[in-house]
Amino acid sequence: GRGEGGVFRLTADGKELRRIARGFWNPFGLLVRKDGEIFAAENDPGSRPPCRLLNIVEGGDYGFQWVYGSAPVHPFVAWNGELRGTLGMVHPCGEGPCAVVELGGGVMIPSWSDHSIDYYPLTRKGAGHTSARIPLVKGSEFFRPVCMTPGPDGAFYLTDWVFSSYPIHQRGRLWKLEIDKSAAAPWLKSAPDPVTEEARLAQTLRHGGTDLTTSELLQIAQGHDPYLVDAALTALSRAGLTPEQVQALPPADRVWAFVAMRRADLEDPRWVRAFITDADPELRFECLRWIADAVLTEFSPQVEALLADASLDFRLFEAVLATWNTLRGEPGAGVTNADVLAERITNPQTPDRLKGYALRLAPPTHKALTTELLSGFAQSKDEVLRLEAVRTLAARKESAQIAADESQPAQLRAEAILGTEDPALLKKLAAHDSPVIRREAQIALRFTEHDTSFTMVADRPPFPDTAAWLARLDALPGAADAEAGRRLFFNPKVALCATCHRHSGRGNVLGPDLTLAARQGDRA
């Protein structure tokens, strides 16, 4: 393909090689159980940790494509099933996993970077599995378990890289791990769960043994069981649908039928031609994804035209920009190429709304983004461009004038306060009638001699005690203020999150992109 990792199957004599699943960075560890279930440990997550324990199924797409760059900040890359037709993880696993070994009704995974060996009991959930991470062995900085295998004596044997250095250092080790299964071990799941009805149906759908109608398959495809959804899409891809038949379906069905037909033939442009101008933004998104994944250059004029379509929302704008970069031969540019973004921002032909979207993605310090240009944008009649200009000025510490302007809306001034360092102005705003302005100014005075509004609470829980912090949050009165939380995330003095992390296009990718953090696990 175009560099996306795969899981392959072949005969014992090395023949009949075929790929059974795609969409991986590096499925380094692989386990095939006696019952045919396949599990993999994804070795690297790029900028979107954690690493993944995956259940591999025939025809599955696990979302990653190397061609779009090593840091998967891209609208057409999924890490946990965020895109239609992709499958996510059974459970996060430790960093740098290189093996998956069966133990009872679960698996053990050694983690190179976490210096550990963890156990993951596998519990059937619909057609898939859920799990939990149970630490078994923990070592020092010089314990880096890599490959692991069961021995004939019932023990497990593993190699240890020892040092973080990649060059050969001749200090590696071999360990023997013994587990007394007769002792009380409540963490150990004794045997795999029996196959569920949902898993049987999914297997039947994948291998063509069903007489379900198109309508029934579409209903399954819109369900909440990701493995059944995936199997239904595979079955739909064999249904011989035509673009005309799909156009006649209800809107909710059309997009899922369209996604299913990707599996039939990604090189077939008829589907994109039929739906590229569809009114449904989700279908237009899937068209752009199809164009980029298949590199259908015949659609370059339509994609170019969309770059001037002021009706786009931010998600569609990212998709158009990523597709345009792919068709011009730079798929890795995605939505993060600073010079491309600057060109769009400074181009007089770009609608103000799209300038705002590009400004959100662009580095605030880019040389093309002058203070004069941004100050002009801050007066725009387009609310998106106005807001993003103020946020960019705040990131550059150049927003004090807007923070002081009584004619500006309170929320906009609150954003500007993030880039204000004038103590006299902040003291004045800390007594403002607007609670939003007052609060942000008080936060901006933290850790200064003028900080009189905040006191440290003596009974704060320890930082690692997540349960205690969640209980504390739940005990607070009133509703959460998402915008105030957003400003804390980007606050350069108090929270500092954006120093390392990106969210919704803004910030840095020194650490994980946190845009999709809410989908990566539970609240804790």
Side-chain angles (χ1 to χ4, degrees):
R2 300 167 68 211
E4 70 273 20
V7 172
F8 297 81
R9 173 175 280 148
L10 70 163
T11 57
D13 57 359
K15 297 178 180 177
E16 299 177 29
L17 177 70
R18 65 186 180 91
R19 180 163 60 180
I20 65 168
R22 69 177 67 220
F24 311 94
W25 178 305
N26 185 8
F28 205 96
L30 199 63
L31 165 69
V32 184
R33 295 195 315 199
K34 289 186 175 67
D35 61 3
E37 288 270 22
I38 305 174
F39 296 91
E42 179 80 292
N43 186 264
D44 200 316
S47 69
R48 202 179 288 180
C51 292
R52 310 185 286 180
L53 167 59
L54 301 168
N55 182 197
I56 308 303
V57 296
E58 182 89 24
D61 180 348
Y62 293 82
F64 181 74
Q65 293 190 66
W66 177 266
V67 72
Y68 290 133
S70 59
V73 179
H74 196 284
F76 304 144
V77 169
W79 198 245
N80 195 25
E82 297 92 359
L83 292 173
R84 289 183 183 87
T86 65
L87 286 166
M89 62 186 86
V90 175
H91 197 273
C93 63
E95 180 75 18
C98 296
V100 188
V101 182
E102 186 174 10
L103 176 62
V107 295
M108 284 190 295
I109 300 179
S111 172
W112 188 90
S113 293
D114 292 348
H115 321 290
S116 66
I117 301 170
D118 302 307
Y119 183 63
Y120 299 84
L122 295 167
T123 302
R124 292 272 187 185
K125 181 181 180 182
H129 302 265
T130 61
S131 191
R133 182 177 177 178
I134 301 172
L136 294 188
V137 177
K138 187 74 175 176
S140 73
E141 176 72 15
F142 301 107
F143 177 60
R144 295 181 180 273
V146 188
C147 294
M148 189 175 187
T149 190
D153 55 355
F156 295 88
Y157 293 84
L158 58 138
T159 55
D160 179 0
W161 199 276
V162 180
F163 295 111
S164 60
S165 170
Y166 274 22
I168 300 300
H169 46 65
Q170 298 186 329
R171 296 288 297 276
R173 293 172 182 170
L174 182 67
W175 294 95
K176 179 181 182 180
L177 174 66
E178 294 180 289
I179 298 173
D180 184 357
K181 298 174 187 174
S182 64
W187 56 268
L188 178 61
K189 192 179 181 78
S190 60
D193 289 342
V195 178
T196 62
E197 288 301 317
E198 295 91 340
R200 289 194 184 91
L201 174 57
Q203 192 77 346
T204 300
L205 292 174
R206 285 193 190 96
H207 295 284
T210 179
D211 56 1
L212 293 177
T213 65
T214 297
S215 177
E216 289 169 327
L217 290 173
L218 283 167
Q219 187 175 355
I220 296 172
Q222 294 172 66
H224 299 292
D225 185 326
Y227 291 87
L228 260 182
V229 169
D230 184 79
L233 291 174
T234 295
L236 280 165
S237 71
R238 296 190 298 261
L241 297 173
T242 66
E244 294 73 24
Q245 287 174 314
V246 175
Q247 284 175 325
L249 293 170
D253 289 347
R254 287 206 310 266
V255 66
W256 286 100
F258 183 87
V259 169
M261 297 316 296
R262 285 172 53 99
R263 302 189 178 194
D265 184 2
L266 192 62
E267 306 301 320
D268 185 351
R270 293 179 307 144
W271 291 94
V272 176
R273 284 194 209 107
F275 292 97
I276 188 65
T277 59
D278 196 276
D280 182 359
E282 292 302 318
L283 252 173
R284 294 170 76 193
F285 176 90
E286 294 299 343
C287 280
L288 290 162
R289 182 179 161 211
W290 192 321
I291 292 168
D293 286 354
V295 197
L296 300 177
T297 55
E298 68 175 87
F299 295 101
S300 294
Q302 289 98 316
V303 174
E304 180 80 31
L306 282 170
L307 280 172
D309 184 350
S311 70
L312 299 177
D313 62 16
F314 180 68
R315 181 167 178 261
L316 265 182
F317 172 75
E318 281 196 309
V320 172
L321 187 62
T323 304
W324 182 73
N325 276 323
T326 297
L327 295 184
R328 69 190 188 96
E330 296 187 25
V335 296
T336 57
N337 185 306
D339 291 335
V340 169
L341 291 166
E343 190 282 324
R344 289 288 150 186
I345 294 166
T346 57
N347 188 334
Q349 304 304 314
T350 304
D352 278 4
R353 177 60 53 97
L354 302 191
K355 285 181 181 178
Y357 293 153
L359 194 56
R360 183 191 299 186
L361 295 165
T365 55
H366 193 281
K367 62 184 179 181
L369 304 181
T370 64
T371 302
E372 182 182 8
L373 179 74
L374 293 168
S375 297
F377 288 163
Q379 305 302 318
S380 172
K381 294 180 180 179
D382 183 89
E383 60 183 14
V384 169
L385 179 57
R386 186 168 65 248
L387 176 61
E388 296 301 340
V390 170
R391 286 173 173 172
T392 301
L393 285 166
R396 294 157 58 111
K397 311 291 186 189
E398 297 174 355
S399 56
Q401 186 175 349
I402 297 169
D405 188 348
E406 291 290 344
S407 69
Q408 297 288 355
Q411 291 287 350
L412 199 67
R413 296 178 70 189
E415 296 284 349
I417 289 170
L418 294 184
T420 301
E421 296 180 319
D422 179 356
L425 175 58
L426 291 172
K427 281 179 66 178
K428 178 182 176 182
L429 295 177
H432 201 277
D433 292 340
S434 165
V436 174
I437 294 173
R438 185 169 65 247
R439 172 79 177 174
E440 289 305 320
Q442 290 170 350
I443 292 174
L445 289 170
R446 289 294 303 275
F447 314 123
T448 73
E449 59 181 314
H450 309 291
D451 181 6
T452 59
S453 301
F454 288 84
T455 55
M456 299 298 284
V457 182
D459 62 344
R460 286 158 65 105
F463 286 130
D465 191 347
T466 303
W469 280 102
L470 288 174
R472 188 183 186 90
L473 288 170
D474 290 337
L476 291 171
D481 183 342
E483 282 305 308
R486 187 203 170 281
R487 288 192 293 271
L488 275 176
F489 185 94
F490 290 96
N491 193 294
K493 181 185 289 187
V494 179
L496 301 172
C497 308
T499 305
C500 296
H501 300 283
R502 185 178 186 268
H503 197 291
S504 303
R506 278 199 177 270
N508 295 298
V509 288
L510 297 175
D513 184 321
L514 298 178
T515 305
L516 300 172
R519 303 188 198 177
Q520 298 287 72
D522 59 21
R523 189 168 169 230

